[in-house]
Amino acid sequence: MTNEQNPQIESGSQYDVLTDGVFLEDVRRQMLKFATMQLGDSHQAEDAVQEALIGALKNAASFGGRAALKTWIFAILKNKIADTLRQKQRSVNVSSLQRDGDEDEDFSELFDSKGFWQPEERPVAWGNPEASLREGQFWIVFEACLEGLPPKQARVFMMREFIELDADEICAEVNLTTSNLHVLLHRSRLRLRECIENKWYLEGEKNVELS
Amino acid sequence: MLNCHDATRLMSESQERPLSMIERMSLKLHLMMCSGCSNFKEQMGSIRLMTRTFAKGKNEQEKK
C-alpha cells in the first residue's frame, strides 16, 4: 500500500487504519446494513454512515487497533442514527408507520387457547449460549433470524437492543404508545427466541431424532 | 393465575420497566411450576447478550 508520508499520521509506528481497505470496506458494509434497517431509507442510511465514518476516522490514529476503532465507529453511527430519527420524527413520515399490516399476527402456533405453550413449542434449555457467541456459523443463523422479523418489530427491537435507546425515546421516535411498544417488543422476542432455538439449538438434536 | 403468554409478556416488559409487586409475585409462582417459561427467562438474557455482541464484535469473528 502506498502510504507516502501522510502528514496526518505522525506516529508512524502505529497501525494505520486508513491504509486498510479491506477493514474499511467491511465496516462500511456492516454500518450500511445496520443504518438501513434502522432508518428504512437507503439515502439517509448512506448519509449517516458517511458522516459517522468521516467523524471517526479523523481520530483514527489515536486508536490502538481495529476492535477499539470499530466499537468507536459504531458508537458514533448510533448517535447519527438517533439524530436522524429525531429529525424524521419532526417531519412525520406516516407512510412508513402504516406499512405494517403484517403485524396483526396471532400466536396460536406458540400458545394454546388458554395461553399455555403448545407442547412442541415449549422453550428448551439452551445449554451454553456463551459458547455459541464464539462460533461463526451461529452469527449467520442469528442474523437470518433478525432479518426474518416483521419490519416494524425488527426496527423497535434493534432500537432497543442495538442502539440501546430507552422505551420513552423509542415511543417518541416511532410515534408509538408505551403499550404498543411493549407488544411489539414482546412479539419480536418471542419470534427471535423461537427462531434461534429452532435454527440453532435444535439443529444438532434433530438429526438424532430423525434417525 | 398467569398463563405462559402473560408470563412471557411480563418477562419481556421487565426489560423496559420495573414490574409491580403483584406482577413479580405471580410471575415467580408461574416460573416455579413452568420449565418452559423458566427457560424463556434465561433466554431473554442470552438474547440481549447476543444482540450486543453482534453489534460490536461480529466482524472480528467473521474474519478469523
Side-chain angles (χ1 to χ4, degrees):
Chain A
M1 295 243 92
T2 51
N3 175 26
E4 50 215 330
Q5 307 284 302
N6 188 333
Q8 280 175 336
I9 296 144
E10 241 85 85
S11 48
S13 64
Q14 246 182 356
Y15 163 71
D16 177 10
V17 69
L18 296 173
T19 63
D20 191 344
V22 178
F23 171 75
L24 281 182
E25 192 38 56
D26 233 20
V27 172
R28 217 190 77 87
R29 189 175 42 77
Q30 283 182 43
M31 291 168 81
L32 201 54
K33 201 166 178 182
F34 176 62
T36 307
M37 186 168 195
Q38 286 303 311
L39 296 169
D41 177 316
S42 57
H43 291 296
Q44 288 179 328
E46 276 283 1
D47 288 348
V49 168
Q50 212 70 343
E51 282 181 47
L53 260 184
I54 292 168
L57 293 179
K58 270 193 286 194
N59 300 313
S62 52
F63 283 86
R66 293 172 173 179
L69 177 62
K70 193 177 167 201
T71 307
W72 170 240
I73 291 177
F74 268 84
I76 294 180
L77 179 61
K78 284 177 179 185
N79 286 332
K80 280 275 170 276
I81 291 174
D83 285 350
T84 309
L85 286 171
R86 281 184 198 113
Q87 284 163 13
K88 241 185 166 175
Q89 227 266 302
R90 272 176 238 131
S91 63
V92 186
N93 186 347
V94 181
S95 62
S96 79
L97 297 172
Q98 287 177 340
R99 70 184 166 188
D100 290 313
D102 59 329
E103 321 239 356
D104 270 335
E105 58 208 324
D106 72 327
F107 276 93
S108 58
E109 351 124 35
L110 292 185
F111 299 105
D112 66 21
S113 58
K114 296 209 169 75
F116 291 91
W117 293 108
Q118 299 281 12
E120 67 282 8
E121 300 295 345
R122 186 177 298 130
V124 301
W126 279 2
N128 185 356
E130 283 76 17
S132 314
L133 305 183
R134 291 190 291 274
E135 294 195 45
Q137 186 64 30
F138 172 76
W139 295 112
I140 295 170
V141 170
F142 184 82
E143 195 164 4
C145 286
L146 269 182
E147 281 169 8
L149 291 174
K152 197 162 180 180
Q153 283 176 35
R155 195 165 158 210
V156 295
F157 179 83
M158 300 289 267
M159 285 175 147
R160 180 74 186 112
E161 304 292 352
F162 261 53
I163 307 193
E164 300 181 38
L165 296 178
D166 65 31
D168 292 342
E169 292 175 288
I170 301 174
C171 287
E173 278 159 13
V174 195
N175 198 12
L176 287 171
T177 65
T178 307
S179 66
N180 281 340
L181 176 68
H182 287 158
V183 169
L184 286 174
L185 286 172
H186 180 212
R187 287 178 179 174
S188 68
R189 286 167 178 147
L190 281 171
R191 274 179 177 274
L192 190 58
R193 192 214 69 80
E194 188 201 11
C195 181
I196 294 170
E197 179 161 303
N198 291 342
K199 299 257 163 64
W200 182 254
Y201 290 100
L202 296 181
E203 272 310 285
E205 284 156 33
K206 210 179 264 168
N207 302 330
V208 181
E209 280 166 18
L210 287 177
S211 62
Chain B
M1 184 37 219
L2 224 52
N3 64 30
C4 300
H5 189 257
D6 292 330
T8 59
R9 183 177 54 78
L10 285 182
M11 288 187 271
S12 174
E13 287 183 20
S14 73
Q15 299 188 73
E16 278 75 56
R17 66 173 178 93
L19 299 183
S20 72
M21 177 73 100
I22 291 174
E23 288 171 330
R24 285 208 309 273
M25 303 255 289
S26 39
L27 181 58
K28 201 162 195 171
L29 278 175
H30 181 92
L31 291 178
M32 283 165 66
M33 302 178 314
C34 180
S35 64
C37 286
S38 302
N39 288 331
F40 185 93
K41 183 167 186 264
E42 295 289 313
Q43 291 158 4
M44 286 302 98
S46 302
I47 286 177
R48 182 159 271 186
L49 176 68
M50 286 166 183
T51 313
R52 291 187 179 166
T53 309
F54 181 72
K56 282 188 216 139
K58 183 173 147 287
N59 193 43
E60 274 65 37
Q61 275 139 358
E62 249 175 16
K63 283 189 122 162
K64 298 292 137 86

